[in-house]
Amino acid sequence: VGDEVIEGATESSYTVTNITGYGSYHCIVSDDFGNRRDLYFNVNVESTGGGGGSGTVVIPDVDELPELTLREFSDAVIAEGGAYAFFRFTPSKDGIYRFYSLSDSDTYGYLYTADKVLIISNDDGGNDLNFLITQSLNAGETYILGVRYYSSSSTGSFSVTVDDEYL
């Protein structure tokens, strides 16, 4: 990224900083003999909060998140490219639940435990380019739904919901 020098890197180990989010990146690596190598890579971080370092998904505290209500739609507002919207959901009974989006744009969804451990993610499993996550959940346990646009430059809003009546 940029003109950053990667000291001590070996052919199988590179450390790259200043990753600003999801997307495609290009960097040039050179050795002490002047040999240069172009590296192209995609960043698709599926990390669990904390740290706040480059490329890390920082999930707010679960108590700060808006609650999803069963069979009601909520607006996911993405004001900055690459950002996420997060919601919490606590089922009242054990069962299989379906989280999905309604959008004219490509969306991506992530389901986490309350401890911010990724359970499952999905892109394009729903209608058109919308995400669809189907997962067995335990009554009384809180889960976090993270959503974003697939494109790291997209902004706007779309609807998300959770239901249990599709079987």
Side-chain angles (χ1 to χ4, degrees), residues 22 43-49 55-57 59 84 108-110 112 116-123 148:
Y22 291 85
V43 174
N44 186 10
V45 178
E46 293 186 0
S47 176
T48 58
T56 301
V57 177
I59 302 171
Y84 288 70
Y108 210 112
Y110 304 82
Y112 301 88
K116 303 177 183 178
V117 175
L118 181 65
I119 299 170
I120 188 171
S121 63
N122 181 264
D123 173 36
R148 67 176 175 90

Side-chain angles (χ1 to χ4, degrees), residues 3 6 21 34 38 44 87-88 90 96 99-100 133 137 151 164:
D3 293 327
I6 304 172
D38 288 300
N44 186 10
F87 301 87
R88 65 185 160 119
T90 306
I96 298 174
F99 298 83
Y100 61 94
I133 293 173
L137 304 180
S151 169
D164 64 347

Side-chain angles (χ1 to χ4, degrees), residues 67-68 88-93 97 137-143:
E67 183 136 16
L68 282 177
R88 65 185 160 119
F89 176 69
T90 306
S92 60
K93 61 182 180 176
Y97 292 83
L137 304 180
N138 298 319
E141 291 186 23
T142 299
Y143 298 87

Side-chain angles (χ1 to χ4, degrees), residues 3 12-13 30 33 57 65 69 74 76 79 85 95 102 116 135 164-165:
D3 293 327
S12 61
S13 170
S30 59
F33 303 104
V57 177
L65 302 177
T69 302
S74 295
L102 292 177
K116 303 177 183 178
Q135 185 66 35
D164 64 347
E165 295 186 345

